[in-house]
Amino acid sequence: MTNQENKSAKTALITGASSGIGYELAKLFAKDGYNLVLVARSTEKLNELGGQFWDEYGVETVVITKDLSKEDAARDVYNQVKEKNITVDILVNDAGVGTYGLFATETDWEKEKSLIHLNVLTTTLLTKLFLKDMVERNEGKILNLASIASITPTPLMAVYAATKAYIYNFTQSLINELKDTNVSVTALLPNATDTDFFNKAGATNAKVTDNLDDAVVVAKDAYNALMKGASKVIPGGLGNKAQEIMAYLTPQETLAQMMRKNMEPKNTAQTEEKSNKAAWAWGIGIAAVVIAGAAVALAYNNSNVVDKARYRYKAGKLKSGADDVYTDVKDALLSGLDNVKDAVATAKEVVAKARETFTEAVS
């Protein structure tokens, strides 16, 4: 890529770009020829990344060193971008932190106040400033990092989960406000991911860290969804998506208890751990059945009159097949699944059987 071509390229601004999901997203943008504005606290690391992206992809990088948890940090970033006459085509609000422990007795207020400022205030103001420019141009995209915790109560990380619930709700509201424009906003809801997040939050001993998603996979799924203008993306496989369905179906008290066990230290009683895994397995199994049912309903509604007649004629067979599937899942769960991966495998079988039965019913 020549310098002239590079100067005409679009630009993505990424906060929290020095590591984790933000870094992986920056690589994807650079690979696709986007110039970058990278924002984080480490000047040395950002400069290193800028050199790397220039050498590998020939894209220009502007580095803004900023602690985004500080007052007016977002406005200062925006002002620096405007002073450099840079048009931000895509904004990625990736920077975020967490705290771990009992809110009443173990966590520190100053850290929580900083967390709220970074996760909520900075993200909101950056969105407001750059979104206004995008709407005026009638073009642009924004990716806001929420979390799977944004749709579940999360004891031991209560303030973090609350800030992510704000981001998710905020994003979905903006999507509706922007529906008549060419500007899109996407919420990213990853599950626990293999980054430095848990280390910084003081939660490296939490049970949830035993099963972490790959930041590379999370970033790739997020990038693809952002480019499509999707309203949200839950990266990873069926287990993560089933967890979303479970969050909507399970009573909040039960969900909070399940999440509490998932966030507890690893050295708790083994019986409690098995109980927690069984609960998650049940939830994932139920969610998978719901997903399969929704797929069948959608296919039925989109069928023509003849296919609908065939479907109704063979509905008894479908019910019988579904009952058999339910029995299989129930027996497997009652016998004790070793881990959630086994539950996911069972859930996949549920979906496959439901799809097979439906196909046979309408053929």
Side-chain angles (χ1 to χ4, degrees), residues 83-342:
E83 288 170 3
K84 298 177 186 299
N85 198 31
I86 297 173
T87 297
V88 171
D89 301 282
I90 296 179
L91 170 65
V92 177
N93 286 310
D94 174 76
V97 293
T99 56
Y100 179 76
L102 294 170
F103 176 75
T105 58
E106 295 179 352
T107 57
D108 176 75
W109 167 243
E110 292 302 320
K111 290 182 179 179
E112 286 167 333
K113 183 170 67 173
S114 178
L115 178 158
I116 294 169
H117 198 113
L118 173 59
N119 292 9
V120 175
L121 295 180
T122 294
T123 297
T124 304
L125 183 52
L126 281 174
T127 299
K128 188 173 188 67
L129 294 171
F130 286 104
L131 181 58
K132 183 178 180 181
D133 293 341
M134 292 178 182
V135 170
E136 289 177 354
R137 299 192 308 268
N138 197 28
E139 182 181 24
K141 296 179 181 296
I142 297 177
L143 179 69
N144 285 334
L145 179 60
S147 167
I148 200 72
S150 68
I151 55 175
T152 65
T154 308
L156 301 181
M157 296 195 82
V159 176
Y160 168 77
T163 64
K164 292 305 179 179
Y166 168 88
I167 293 300
Y168 179 66
N169 191 291
F170 172 61
T171 300
Q172 297 307 310
S173 297
L174 292 183
I175 290 168
N176 178 268
E177 293 182 8
L178 297 166
K179 64 181 181 180
D180 295 324
T181 74
N182 291 324
V183 180
S184 65
V185 188
T186 301
L188 170 58
L189 283 71
N191 210 328
T193 304
D194 188 10
T195 67
D196 200 35
F197 171 83
F198 289 100
N199 178 47
K200 291 179 178 178
T204 54
N205 194 43
K207 291 177 185 176
V208 69
T209 60
D210 283 339
N211 295 285
L212 298 176
D213 288 347
D214 188 347
V216 174
V217 174
V218 171
K220 183 177 180 181
D221 287 353
Y223 187 82
N224 291 337
L226 173 69
M227 292 308 177
K228 292 177 182 177
S231 63
K232 67 180 177 182
V233 54
I234 298 177
L238 177 64
N240 290 346
K241 294 172 178 59
Q243 189 171 332
E244 179 195 19
I245 302 299
M246 182 176 64
Y248 297 140
L249 296 177
T250 307
Q252 291 292 290
E253 295 83 357
T254 303
L255 195 60
Q257 183 61 21
M258 293 165 64
M259 292 298 292
R260 169 67 180 269
K261 290 183 178 297
N262 203 34
M263 293 304 302
E264 285 178 345
K266 299 175 185 178
N267 58 1
T268 54
Q270 186 176 6
T271 55
E272 290 186 3
E273 184 172 358
K274 288 182 178 179
S275 175
N276 181 44
K277 289 176 179 178
W280 278 107
W282 266 108
I284 291 174
I286 292 171
V289 173
V290 172
I291 293 171
V296 170
L298 179 63
Y300 175 80
N301 289 334
N302 290 334
S303 298
N304 57 39
V305 175
V306 175
D307 285 341
K308 285 183 178 180
R310 290 175 179 171
Y311 179 80
R312 288 193 297 268
Y313 179 76
K314 297 184 178 181
K317 185 175 183 179
L318 177 60
K319 181 179 183 301
S320 176
D323 289 342
D324 291 341
V325 170
Y326 173 79
T327 301
D328 291 344
V329 174
K330 181 179 178 181
D331 291 342
L333 293 173
L334 290 178
S335 67
L337 294 170
D338 291 335
N339 51 49
V340 176
K341 289 183 179 180
D342 292 336

Side-chain angles (χ1 to χ4, degrees), residues 1-3 5-7 9-12 26-38 47 49-62:
M1 178 183 295
T2 66
N3 286 339
E5 290 173 333
N6 189 57
K7 290 182 183 298
K10 291 188 175 183
T11 299
K27 284 201 300 184
L28 293 173
F29 281 109
K31 185 176 180 180
D32 275 355
Y34 280 81
N35 290 327
L36 301 172
V37 178
L38 304 182
N47 285 332
L49 293 181
Q52 172 190 333
F53 295 148
W54 174 259
D55 291 340
E56 294 182 9
Y57 307 113
V59 298
E60 295 180 350
T61 300
V62 172

Side-chain angles (χ1 to χ4, degrees), residues 74-89:
R75 192 173 296 279
D76 186 51
V77 168
Y78 178 77
N79 288 341
Q80 288 192 49
V81 169
K82 300 302 284 186
E83 288 170 3
K84 298 177 186 299
N85 198 31
I86 297 173
T87 297
V88 171
D89 301 282

